[in-house]
Amino acid sequence: MSDPHFNRIALIGIGLIGSSLAHVIRQRKLADEIIVSTRSAHTLRRAEELGLGDRYYLDAGEAVAGADLVIICVPVGASEAVAKWIAPALTPGAILTDVGSTKGSVIRQIAPHVPEGVHFIAGHPIAGTEESGPDAGFADLFDDRWCILTPTPDSDQEALARLSAFWQACGSMVDTMDPEHHDLVLAIVSHLPHIIAYNIVGTADDLETVTKSEVIKYSASGFRDFTRLAASDPTMWRDVCLHNKDAILEMLARFSEDLSALQRAVRWGDGEALFNLFTRTRSIRRSIVEAGQDTDIPNFGRNAPTQKPDTPAS
Amino acid sequence: MSDPHFNRIALIGIGLIGSSLAHVIRQRKLADEIIVSTRSAHTLRRAEELGLGDRYYLDAGEAVAGADLVIICVPVGASEAVAKWIAPALTPGAILTDVGSTKGSVIRQIAPHVPEGVHFIAGHPIAGTEESGPDAGFADLFDDRWCILTPTPDSDQEALARLSAFWQACGSMVDTMDPEHHDLVLAIVSHLPHIIAYNIVGTADDLETVTKSEVIKYSASGFRDFTRLAASDPTMWRDVCLHNKDAILEMLARFSEDLSALQRAVRWGDGEALFNLFTRTRSIRRSIVEAGQDTDIPNFGRNAPTQKPDTPAS
């Protein structure tokens, strides 16, 4: 196995993923030096207070100088701006990667700016929470989660092996995949679920016949599950929608078609069609739990609520 | 406050809700005697093995004889059959209630069969997990959750007070509501989320371009959240769809309209519209956590997975 250790790792962007990387790199001694850069002075100061890095830069160009691993951890829409900014300062032989949720668009934004001798391999750790910002990170985020790397035919194999070893040392299991296929897979497992969650929460918010207070009080009957995804970072998700448009529109079209069929079954009282759909979806849940990708404790093992609602029982 | 204690409580149906009631009634001494009835000999035997009741009957009519509280805990589509069965055996002065997820239809099915002198008040504890059957119940299920009672104008006020006291002793906070309004509220907070979850899991299951194995492996990126609801009891949810049709169709129509607008924003790259929606949905999550209706721990406080996937990292 390749060496997962680097001399100097530069993290460009220090949100949930960037700060989690800072924690795990530190904890598992994956670099001699961690460089943190973000364009927000406020966020950079917070990262410094949290002790996430060894040095801190507002200027991404300064941050990457001398780094043998540079990880871009910004919303995917900012990829090209970052690439242009850091390109002149990248060290020959360095590995450049990212953590963005879309890969085709990110490669199109970054690859043209990568100087000769720098090894760019795009990546995507399939991990996260609904939290964001430098305070949200934690070292275990990547444990037992997949990380997808999307090398292109001309990618350097040694760089790929080192980057894989790095992610494995972070706790991940590594897969490689064609960038276009990645975008299709993520459209169904991640982008569509987020869009649907945002949409249903919006629909509930707009009702005139049911009050917001009622939606909140009775949310334990199902609705609350969707609000977690719908509390995710708006900038990140706006960028995902704008940068994986084709795959998302394809999945939305299929979803809507299926929903129309289901709606028709409700309207015409087709109990058999409803029962058949509701039965076959059960097995997927079982497979996910068996694959170690979710807890098998009912209700996600949610803790009992600790705070009492201030609405009195009537 | 009224007396939450009954001499003999008969539970007709012993699934997740029925068995949870058995546990909490026993634990908090809410009855001298618990009678369990279900039409499945297999399930009745299992309930007996679990020690859920004091006496066990396949015949619901025998089960309710002498009971001062009868709780119907069956899928809503079976309400009328149960009502016809037990009606002749109900004891004058007894309280009859249910736990179904729809209220208008349940009242229409049960009320015509209730004999003079028996107090029927429909109810719905807003609590549950994705598990079902007599093994799934536990005593704390109703703690800090709402229970909605839907009395009609001619309901007996003393019976209402006793039933409220009973649910409060089970750990619930009690609200009363018009049955039609209940059905509208639940259509948005519970029925639509379940239908959407079933639908997206079905869409993912049908894809030719993304394999089922990929959907499972990468489900931690959002999809897995939906699979929990989509693993709920198929019979129960078929009945909900068939028995709250109008409210569900209304909510489905609104949801689809909103989704079309969102889809249009994706197609035309309207980042501002996307950002605005994704921002306002965040506050609802916050309100739900503040109301004690969900955990504030990221990822629902899911435990780290304990089982390793058998797919090797590549």
Side-chain angles (χ1 to χ4, degrees), chain B residues 5 12 18 22-23 39 42 49 53 72 113 116 126 171 182 191-192 200 208 218 220 227 233 241 255 283 289 298 301:
Chain B
H5 179 273
I12 310 303
H23 283 292
R39 61 180 187 159
H42 173 79
E49 285 166 9
I72 301 176
H113 305 283
E116 194 71 34
I126 313 292
H182 167 279
H191 307 169
L192 185 62
I200 194 172
E208 322 82 24
Y218 309 123
T227 60
D233 185 53
C241 288
F255 174 86
S283 72
V289 169

Side-chain angles (χ1 to χ4, degrees), chain B residues 102-165:
Chain B
T102 72
K103 294 274 66 80
S105 153
V106 163
I107 292 172
R108 284 190 295 276
Q109 289 179 71
I110 294 178
H113 305 283
V114 178
E116 194 71 34
V118 170
H119 308 298
F120 171 52
I121 297 169
H124 179 204
I126 313 292
T129 75
E130 67 276 28
E131 307 283 312
S132 41
D135 286 270
F138 53 99
D140 299 342
L141 179 63
F142 309 107
D143 279 344
D144 297 320
R145 298 277 86 90
W146 290 91
C147 179
I148 300 176
L149 301 180
T150 56
T152 47
D154 57 345
S155 291
D156 184 84
Q157 289 305 306
E158 199 189 314
L160 176 60
R162 284 205 70 195
L163 192 57
S164 299

Side-chain angles (χ1 to χ4, degrees), chain B residues 37-274:
Chain B
S37 177
T38 166
R39 61 180 187 159
S40 149
H42 173 79
T43 306
L44 193 67
R45 205 159 41 240
R46 184 64 193 145
E48 192 162 2
E49 285 166 9
L50 293 165
L52 294 175
D54 298 301
R55 285 187 285 130
Y56 304 86
Y57 295 94
L58 282 173
D59 185 324
E62 291 179 35
V64 303
D68 47 352
L69 176 61
V70 174
I71 311 179
I72 301 176
C73 311
V74 302
V76 291
S79 305
E80 181 161 29
V82 169
K84 281 184 179 169
W85 197 354
I86 64 175
L90 289 167
T91 304
I95 297 176
L96 172 65
T97 187
D98 80 308
V99 299
S101 305
T102 72
K103 294 274 66 80
S105 153
V106 163
I107 292 172
R108 284 190 295 276
Q109 289 179 71
I110 294 178
H113 305 283
V114 178
E116 194 71 34
V118 170
H119 308 298
F120 171 52
I121 297 169
H124 179 204
I126 313 292
T129 75
E130 67 276 28
E131 307 283 312
S132 41
D135 286 270
F138 53 99
D140 299 342
L141 179 63
F142 309 107
D143 279 344
D144 297 320
R145 298 277 86 90
W146 290 91
C147 179
I148 300 176
L149 301 180
T150 56
T152 47
D154 57 345
S155 291
D156 184 84
Q157 289 305 306
E158 199 189 314
L160 176 60
R162 284 205 70 195
L163 192 57
S164 299
F166 169 78
W167 277 109
Q168 287 172 342
C170 290
S172 289
M173 305 169 287
V174 176
D175 255 353
T176 58
M177 205 180 276
D178 177 78
E180 282 64 41
H181 189 62
H182 167 279
D183 288 356
L184 203 59
V185 171
L186 269 288
I188 185 69
V189 296
S190 177
H191 307 169
L192 185 62
H194 279 81
I195 287 171
I196 296 302
Y198 279 121
N199 194 67
I200 194 172
V201 175
T203 301
D205 196 32
D206 284 342
L207 292 175
E208 322 82 24
T209 47
V210 176
T211 68
K212 201 174 297 190
S213 147
E214 288 172 324
V215 168
I216 290 162
K217 279 167 78 173
Y218 309 123
S219 61
S221 52
F223 184 74
R224 63 175 176 174
D225 279 25
F226 291 74
T227 60
R228 188 184 79 80
L229 292 184
S232 302
D233 185 53
T235 305
M236 170 184 162
W237 283 99
R238 177 201 61 196
D239 280 9
V240 167
C241 288
L242 299 177
H243 289 269
N244 196 21
K245 190 171 91 169
D246 293 345
I248 287 174
L249 289 176
E250 161 73 13
M251 295 305 170
L252 269 170
R254 285 169 178 263
F255 174 86
S256 294
E257 247 174 63
D258 292 346
L259 192 62
S260 295
L262 207 164
Q263 184 167 333
R264 196 172 185 281
V266 171
R267 189 178 301 280
W268 293 96
D270 186 349
E272 199 182 327
L274 296 170

Side-chain angles (χ1 to χ4, degrees), chain A residues 174-228:
Chain A
V174 176
D175 255 353
T176 57
M177 204 180 275
D178 177 77
E180 282 65 41
H181 189 62
H182 166 280
D183 288 355
L184 204 59
V185 171
L186 269 289
I188 185 69
V189 296
S190 176
H191 308 170
L192 185 61
H194 278 82
I195 287 171
I196 296 304
Y198 279 122
N199 194 67
I200 193 173
V201 175
T203 301
D205 195 32
D206 284 342
L207 292 174
E208 323 80 26
T209 46
V210 177
T211 68
K212 200 173 298 189
S213 145
E214 287 172 324
V215 168
I216 290 163
K217 279 168 76 173
Y218 309 122
S219 61
S221 53
F223 183 75
R224 62 175 177 174
D225 279 25
F226 291 75
T227 60
R228 188 184 78 81

Side-chain angles (χ1 to χ4, degrees), chain A residues 144 175 218 294 302 308, chain B residues 144 175 205 218 294 302 308:
Chain A
D144 297 319
D175 255 353
Y218 309 122
D294 208 345
R302 279 179 174 108
K308 286 278 185 179
Chain B
D144 297 320
D175 255 353
D205 196 32
Y218 309 123
D294 208 346
R302 280 181 174 106
K308 286 279 185 180

